[in-house]
Structures are given as C-alpha cells and as structure tokens.
Amino acid sequence: MKSALITGITGQDGAYLARLLLDKGYKVHGLVARRSSDSRWRLREMGVEADIVYLDGDMADACSVQRAVIQSAPDEVYNLAAQSFVAASWNQPVTTGIVDGLGVTHLLEAIRQFSPHTRFYQASTSEMFGLIQAEQQDENTPFYPRSPYGVAKLYGHWITVNYRESFDLHASSGILFNHESPLRGIEFVTRKVTDAAARIKQGKQQELALGNIDAKRDWGFAGDYVEAMWLMLQQDKPDDFVVATGVTTTVREMCRIAFDHVGLNYRDYVKIDPAFFRPAEVEVLLGNPAKAQRVLGWKPKTDLDTLIRMMMDADMKRVAKE
Ligand code: NAP
Ligand code: G4F
C-alpha cells in the first residue's frame, strides 16, 4: 500500500485529492493545523473523514512538518497548505510569506534529510503570472506576481525547482489556474456568487456586492485538477505543468450563468462595491494546458457552465436546509 501525506487536507483540493488517493488504495495522512472550530467539514462531505490518519502540524513550524514526514513515511507528498485567499494576503503579508513561501522549504528540507525517495507536489498557481506577459500563459511564460500571495507562491515554486535541481528530488510544480467546486470557500468569487444567487432566489438575501466584475479567469473543476496532481507524481521525471481549461470568462458572465440557472437576471441584484477591489488586480488569466495533455494525458472534463450549475444545485439545497 502506498503512503501519501497531504498538507492542506481540510481545504477544497485536499478533500478531492484525499478521495482520489483513497480510491486508488493509498494510506492517506493529513497534516492538520490546530483550529478552534471544526475544519473537517469538507472531508465529511467527501465521505473520507474516518479514513485519514491525522497528524498535527503547521507549515510555519518546521519541527511539526519534519515529524509529519517521518511519521507518515510517504511515497508521495502533496503540499496544498496555504493562506490561499489573494485579497487577504495584503492584510497578512508576513503570514502568507511564511506559510506559502518558507513553509515549502520546511517540507522540502524534511524530505531531503529524512525521506529523499519521496515524490513531492507543490501547489503553484496562475497568480504567479499576474500582470500577464503573454496572451496565453504556459510553462515558459515569465512570471509577474501582483499580490503578496503571488510573490510568496513564486518563492515556493522556485524553491521546488531549486531542490529538484540541487538534490535530485522528484519534485514537481503544478501551475494550476482557478478551480472551483461546491466545496470552494465562500470568500472566492464563484462560491460567493452561487451562494448569493441561491439565497436571493429563496428570499434570504436582497443583493450581492462585488468588486471588479470585468476580471477574467480560466475556471475549471477541482475534481478534474486533482487528477493532474496525481499524474505528475506518476511520471518517471519530475517537471512543471500548467493545468487549465484554455478558456477565459469574465466574472460578469459567470454571474449571468449562475443567476440564469435559477431564473434570475444578475443585473437586478449585483451591485459594485469599491471595498472588493484589490490594491493591484490580475485582470486576465488564460492557461495553455498543451504540455499537461501531451505528457500526462490530462484534459479538463468539466466546462464552466456545467461547473457553475453543479455549484448552484448544491447551494440551492444547502440554503433550503438552513
Ligand atoms: P483552501 O481551500 O484555502 O485550503 C487551504 C488549506 O491549507 C486548508 O486545509 C488550510 O487549513 C491549510 N492551511 C492554511 N494555513 C496552514 C498552515 N499554516 N499550516 C497548515 N495548513 C494550513 O485552498 P485550495 O483551493 O484547496 O487550494 C489548495 C492549494 O492550491 C493552495 O496552496 C492554493 O494556494 C493552491 N492553488 C489553488 C487554486 C484554486 O483555484 N483553488 C489555484 C492554484 C493554486 P484550514 O482549513 O485549517 O484553514
Ligand atoms: O475568486 P477569487 O478571489 O480568486 P483569485 O484571486 O483568482 O485566486 C484564486 O485563484 C488563484 C489561481 O489563479 C489561486 F492561486 C488562489 O489561491 C485562489 O484560489 O477572485 C477572482 C476574480 C478576481 O479578479 C477578483 O478581483 O474575481 C474578482 N472579484 C470581483 N468581485 C472578486 C469579487 N473576488 C472575490 N473573492 N470577491 C468579490 O467580491
């Protein structure tokens, strides 16, 4: 039985990846940071809460990260832990830098010293492209991050590349574009919109305040994207891969799809609130997943319309039960 360690197992991707690895017969360990309230709801939603070995630890605490690597004796480590909300990174730039940046070194160092055969996946991000330097971004596009989050993740990306080149570790970096699901955090724009549309439809909310609705994102489904993570660690050689759909859509159009699904016109409810604009915006992201398709045989299976409908259906049911 293969052993895997997932950091960030209580997050959206952690829950989908845990399900995928358990279905493949892995023993799954999860590094979980101490929280004062329940953080395992996504694992319950995926029906995997009881099947995971939980290890206490925090990415900011090198000792706990090291202990988790020794205790789990992993064949594969998936580093998904992060302060992942871009907007919050301007208010917590140092924490974001430590967890999303230096935390990666804590993990790579533990692997180098105690488990050098372990294969490593780093959750890198299209936010590293920021102020885009090419119309469609791929593995060769120069980076230009636009937030403390993007900067911290760029450190995490390059330290992964550096440990691969310096110590011959099987360390891969997945440069994933936005991916969503019914398990997406409520602060991200897709879930904020599907939750609000469900509440408005059911008379529990009157309007929805948003920021820059002209921003464009390349949105895919988290369930598809965790397959790409796993595929990267099954390759003979570690490498970097862009994972995206190759389609970009405005926040405005995503709102239209969500509200349409419940028979409403988003224009009647969406208000623009400057409080949700960012100090520096990433106006557009559009990925080129050709390498992932060629080398990994990976393709996205879910288009945006299907994804938003899936999220709307889940939110309509959840809001009705409240
Ligand atoms: P998420 O839902 O925000 O999950 C983040 C996870 O990290 C949670 O389990 C969280 O634990 C954990 N975490 C936060 N701080 C930690 C710390 N100091 N020590 C240990 N664990 C900590 O994020 P996601 O959407 O699943 O994304 C997974 C990863 O992919 C992240 O690294 C993100 O930056 C990256 N990424 C995401 C996307 C996307 O569109 N979703 C795209 C590209 C890259 P709690 O639940 O206890 O807070
Ligand atoms: O949903 P978002 O908050 O996601 P963002 O900033 O693109 O980051 C997500 O994707 C990254 C990959 O590119 C990940 F690395 C990161 O961890 C995270 O998962 O915002 C999307 C867009 C932005 O342009 C934002 O300005 O939507 C715009 N937006 C407009 N109004 C809003 C809102 N975003 C949020 N969260 N809330 C709004 O009211």
Side-chain angles (χ1 to χ4, degrees), residues 84-86 125-127 149 176-178 184 187-189 192 209-212 215 217 251 276 278 281-282 285:
S84 76
F85 188 39
V86 173
T125 165
S126 50
E127 272 291 306
Y149 169 81
L176 271 54
F177 284 61
N178 298 51
R184 186 60 143 149
E187 66 272 39
F188 298 95
V189 76
K192 184 173 172 181
L210 292 175
N212 176 16
R217 288 294 181 272
V251 172
F276 293 107
R278 296 176 178 183
E281 177 62 290
V282 173
L285 290 171

Side-chain angles (χ1 to χ4, degrees), residues 2 24 38 43 46 58 67 92 94 123 128 134 144 169 198 226 232 239 241 269 281 284 288 293 314 318:
K2 275 191 177 177
K24 290 185 183 295
D38 170 49
L43 298 169
M46 293 301 284
D58 193 298
R67 193 171 54 241
Q92 298 170 30
V94 176
M128 301 187 310
Y144 195 139
L169 295 186
V226 296
M232 284 179 218
D239 206 343
F241 294 93
Y269 304 98
E281 177 62 290
V284 55
N288 178 356
Q293 186 162 351
R318 189 183 46 77

Side-chain angles (χ1 to χ4, degrees), residues 137-152:
Q137 303 88 53
D138 65 18
E139 295 78 4
N140 299 314
T141 304
F143 299 118
Y144 195 139
R146 292 272 280 173
S147 62
Y149 169 81
V151 173

Side-chain angles (χ1 to χ4, degrees), residues 182-250:
L183 300 185
R184 186 60 143 149
I186 201 82
E187 66 272 39
F188 298 95
V189 76
T190 51
R191 252 323 284 303
K192 184 173 172 181
V193 168
T194 59
D195 171 74
R199 285 176 187 285
I200 291 168
K201 180 69 182 177
Q202 295 182 33
K204 295 179 177 172
Q205 186 172 324
Q206 275 67 52
E207 60 179 38
L208 168 62
L210 292 175
N212 176 16
I213 62 173
D214 294 318
K216 295 172 98 176
R217 288 294 181 272
D218 180 330
W219 278 297
F221 171 48
D224 294 345
Y225 284 35
V226 296
E227 287 179 18
M229 297 177 189
W230 177 78
L231 283 167
M232 284 179 218
L233 297 203
Q234 311 317 306
Q235 305 305 305
D236 290 339
K237 276 177 48 190
D239 206 343
D240 306 324
F241 294 93
V242 159
V243 176
T245 67
V247 177
T248 192
T249 310
T250 57

Side-chain angles (χ1 to χ4, degrees), residues 10-13 35 58-59 80 82 84 149 153 176 179:
T10 57
Q12 170 189 257
D13 292 5
R35 299 288 186 255
D58 193 298
M59 293 306 292
L80 310 184
S84 76
Y149 169 81
K153 280 287 185 177
L176 271 54
H179 46 279

